[in-house]
Amino acid sequence: MCKGLALLPTTCLERAKELKAKLGSFLQKPDWSLASCKIGKTRPTLEQCMRWKESFEKLLSNKHGLMAFTAFLVSEFSEENIAFYVACEDFRSTKSAAKLAVKAQRIYDEFICTDAPREVSLQVNIDHETRDITRANLKDPSTSCFDMAQHRIYLLMAKDCYPRFLRSPAYKDLISQLRAKCTSISKKA
């Protein structure tokens, strides 16, 4: 291990490894396609992909949509936004008060803290006021302590990343691939 990594707190290294494992397949495939949207044995349908255009919420609520959007953000080197959003969603479902405090600190250290090492940190772009409020919320963590920061990142993705995703060649190619697949199936029938 290089000296720089050896000096990082163990929790940062563990979180980096965890994130790399979750996003590993995307990191290897910046040109994502229908094959990279596969979950288990299932792939998105044309109808699902067309619904993603209806709203950002529909995209995120579909497991294939979330995977495709994440792959897109990785290809644009802005995966910290969706990683933070997903971490907050997971955090919100935490029941144990003891786990809540530990998870809250980990999320803060990785995504919000400005003092975190740059080699590991996936710092999200939020304003100073939101950062301060979130830091204050950590004194008495609750499932809503990241709500303001998560909302800011959600709006950023909805207004900026989501429209670019819908205009991207990769999304358009995905739709074309699925249309072609539907056409070939209907011709065989």
Side-chain angles (χ1 to χ4, degrees):
M1 184 182 297
C2 71
K3 282 184 182 180
L5 290 177
L7 298 174
L8 294 174
T10 306
T11 55
C12 287
L13 292 173
E14 289 170 2
R15 182 70 178 132
K17 288 177 186 175
E18 179 184 308
L19 194 59
K20 183 180 177 190
K22 285 182 181 177
L23 299 175
S25 62
F26 297 131
L27 293 172
Q28 295 170 0
K29 301 174 186 171
D31 293 328
W32 54 278
S33 64
L34 180 58
S36 67
C37 294
K38 185 177 178 181
I39 299 174
K41 293 184 178 182
T42 64
R43 289 192 169 107
T45 64
L46 178 59
E47 293 76 26
Q48 286 176 326
C49 292
M50 295 303 287
R51 270 189 235 118
W52 300 347
K53 285 181 170 182
E54 294 173 14
S55 73
F56 186 50
E57 187 59 39
K58 287 188 181 185
L59 172 72
L60 294 182
S61 65
N62 178 273
K63 61 185 177 182
H64 294 289
L66 179 61
M67 182 178 277
F69 187 64
T70 301
F72 170 74
L73 291 178
V74 168
S75 74
E76 292 207 331
F77 303 100
S78 60
E79 66 272 14
E80 69 278 359
N81 295 323
I82 196 67
F84 175 69
Y85 178 84
V86 170
C88 290
E89 289 297 300
D90 176 62
F91 174 76
R92 192 174 286 115
S93 67
T94 303
K95 304 293 183 213
S96 163
K99 286 183 180 178
L100 203 64
V102 171
K103 279 185 170 182
Q105 190 61 53
R106 187 177 72 192
I107 291 170
Y108 179 82
D109 289 345
E110 182 164 354
F111 296 105
I112 298 175
C113 182
T114 57
D115 300 332
R118 294 297 113 211
E119 296 84 20
V120 176
S121 175
L122 291 171
Q123 188 177 4
V124 292
N125 186 10
I126 55 174
D127 59 273
H128 187 65
E129 180 184 3
T130 303
R131 189 178 315 280
D132 289 346
I133 290 169
T134 304
R135 185 181 319 113
N137 289 344
L138 289 182
K139 292 176 183 165
D140 185 25
S142 70
T143 55
S144 62
C145 68
F146 291 105
D147 284 359
M148 181 185 242
Q150 184 186 23
H151 182 69
R152 298 267 195 258
I153 295 304
Y154 178 91
L155 290 176
L156 174 72
M157 290 189 300
K159 290 179 180 176
D160 182 43
C161 305
Y162 173 62
R164 282 197 328 270
F165 167 77
L166 294 177
R167 290 189 309 265
S168 71
Y171 176 69
K172 290 177 180 178
D173 289 346
L174 179 62
I175 296 293
S176 295
Q177 290 172 37
L178 290 169
R179 280 193 175 128
K181 187 176 178 182
C182 287
T183 303
S184 79
I185 290 172
S186 64
K187 285 182 181 180
K188 289 180 183 177

